[in-house]
Structure formats: structure tokens, C-alpha cells
Amino acid sequence: MSTEFVSTTIDDRGVATVTLDNPDKHNAFDDAIIAQLTAAFSALDANPGVRVVVLASSGRNFSAGGDLNWMQRMATYSREENLADSRALAEMLRTLNFMSKPTIARVQGVAFGGAVGLVSCCDMAVASATAQFSLSEVKIGLMPATISPYVVAAIGARAARRYFATAERFSAKQAQAMGLISEVVADDSELDTALEILVTALLGNSPNAVAASKQLLFDVAGRPVDAELIEMTCQRIADIRASAQGQEGLSAFLEKRKPGWIQ
């Protein structure tokens, strides 16, 4: 599948790569690219043959955030038009964040503004040591509103209070310390090696269990540990133990063989 500025490939292992392909504009995105990303994420989530989704970009930079021409157009929109535009961005972020498949961001160069939101919506991220990040919206009189739930979940409220207000650039090492980035490598040439380590780990696990564990996280996070939550977790483990992949995994472990999902 390919579109003008977003392309999708799926290898024979079921690893899908969605690539922002607008390097001349540093992979900045606009309403058309947002729609393309939403369609790509939705299609991959619905594809039973896909096991891992990688979000990458071509060229020197991951993404400079919102495209300047798009922002110029938004300045002429009515409030109702701006609201519709914002809801489209919010839907793209929601679709990526809640994908049932594990997601990995591959980050090089800069990730500014909304691009930090994209990284925050992925389950994990690898970045080169030279990558730079910025929640830059306040520099142009805006705020990181639509991406805020995901960014705050990724870096915490304390760090968000600083970087939402200062728009400072921060390094890949700082992003890793805050939890935005999972792995930092020396330079861009090592990104694919780090990415492959995560992909290999994911492919060794039950696809259904990975999806169920991801949903479990969303359902447990922030809730009080009460009788209702405890009962829900008991129901979940009972269900997955009785499932086909649960039975296969336990049988393979006891029989000292590879489970059926490992090629």
C-alpha cells in the first residue's frame, strides 16, 4: 500500500513499516497526511497477518511536526473548522495509541511538536543519540493540546510542566530518562539493529497474549486496586489460559518445543 506521503510495507514475518515520506519538508504533516496515517494504522490493526508495526520516516528527520502551510490555512479557519481539523488529528493519535499490535517508533533527526505525540503513542521507541525533541507549540502561540494525554502518559506531568511551557529542545538521552524513548544508539546507522532486537523479542511471543496484555495495561492504569479490578484481572487470566494460544504456549513450554507462532 502506498500513498503520496505515507507508505506501508509488510514483510514475510508480519512486520509492517509505516513510513512518513516527505523528506523535503522534514516529514512535517498536514490534514492530508493525517488522514493517510489514520487509514494506514486502521488497516494494519484490522490485518490478522500483521504482528508488529514500525513507524519510521525517510530522510534526515523523523518529523518537524505540523506543516507550515497547513498551519497558515488553519489561521484562516473558523472555530468550527479548527475543531473539525483538531478532531481528525485526535482520531489519528487515538488510532495509533490504541492499536492492538505492538508499535515501535524509529526516530532520527528532529521530532518536534506533534511528532512528539506520534512517538508517545507508540509502545516503544528507538532513537539515535543525535535526535532532538521539542514540544514547540508555545513558540507560535499554540499549545500541545491534542497530543497532551499521550505525552503526559509518556514523560509524566512534572516533565510536561517544564517542556510544555519552555519549548526547549531536549536530547535523546533526556527523552530516554523521561520514558519517551526506550533505546538510544550512537548514530542513525545503528537504529535498525536496535529496532530488530525489539522486533525479534515481540515475534517470539503469542500475538493474542501481546494484544491482550496491551489492552490490560489500558484497563488497569490509574485505577484503584479494589475488588472490581482484582476480579477483572482474574477473569482475564482465566480467559487467556483457556484460549487456543494460551493452551499452545503452555503445551510448548512443557514439551520443550517452539510454540506455533514462532516461524
Side-chain angles (χ1 to χ4, degrees):
M1 165 185 165
S2 64
T3 56
E4 189 175 356
F5 293 123
V6 176
S7 65
T8 301
T9 60
I10 305 173
D11 70 16
D12 57 8
R13 301 173 299 170
V15 179
T17 302
V18 178
T19 303
L20 283 165
D21 192 14
N22 192 15
D24 291 343
K25 289 192 173 185
H26 308 288
N27 297 305
F29 49 81
D30 59 12
D31 49 352
I33 292 174
I34 287 167
Q36 293 164 18
L37 286 170
T38 304
F41 298 148
S42 296
L44 293 174
D45 203 26
N47 185 338
V50 171
R51 296 192 55 192
V52 179
V53 176
V54 176
L55 178 59
S57 58
S58 60
R60 293 188 302 119
N61 294 306
F62 179 72
S63 174
D67 177 75
L68 289 176
N69 291 330
W70 177 45
M71 287 191 280
Q72 275 187 324
R73 281 191 282 118
M74 285 192 290
T76 68
Y77 285 0
S78 67
R79 186 180 185 283
E80 289 72 22
E81 290 170 322
N82 264 295
L83 188 57
D85 197 79
S86 299
R87 284 172 174 161
L89 174 59
E91 176 60 15
M92 183 269 284
L93 295 167
R94 186 201 65 79
T95 303
L96 174 58
N97 190 72
F98 292 106
M99 285 186 75
S100 60
K101 317 298 169 76
T103 53
I104 311 171
R106 180 191 185 280
V107 185
Q108 80 283 5
V110 304
F112 291 167
V116 178
L118 288 174
V119 177
S120 299
C121 287
C122 290
D123 299 319
M124 55 206 87
V126 297
S128 61
T130 55
Q132 292 194 334
F133 303 81
S134 175
L135 291 152
S136 52
E137 287 85 353
V138 293
K139 282 186 174 294
I140 56 172
L142 303 177
M143 62 179 174
T146 316
I147 65 173
S148 62
Y150 313 107
V151 176
V152 172
I155 71 173
R158 185 63 175 172
R161 287 172 72 165
R162 172 177 175 172
Y163 291 106
F164 280 15
T166 66
E168 295 167 270
R169 292 191 182 195
F170 53 95
S171 69
K173 282 293 186 184
Q174 288 171 293
Q176 184 180 36
M178 291 187 289
L180 179 66
I181 298 298
S182 313
E183 302 288 340
V184 176
V185 297
D187 55 48
D188 293 359
S189 66
E190 298 180 19
L191 280 171
D192 289 336
T193 300
L195 188 68
E196 189 59 28
I197 290 170
L198 292 174
V199 167
T200 299
L202 291 166
L203 292 177
N205 304 327
S206 156
N208 290 354
V210 170
S213 295
K214 184 170 178 176
Q215 186 59 50
L216 179 68
L217 182 150
F218 292 130
D219 294 341
V220 167
R223 288 183 56 176
V225 183
D226 55 16
E228 183 181 2
L229 181 63
I230 291 169
E231 178 60 21
M232 182 267 282
T233 62
C234 292
Q235 295 279 349
R236 297 284 178 92
I237 190 62
D239 289 344
I240 205 160
R241 282 175 181 167
S243 71
Q245 286 192 8
Q247 291 291 302
E248 167 63 10
L250 289 169
S251 296
F253 177 76
L254 295 171
E255 296 165 12
K256 296 181 171 53
R257 61 174 176 82
K258 291 181 179 180
W261 55 78
I262 296 180
Q263 297 179 358

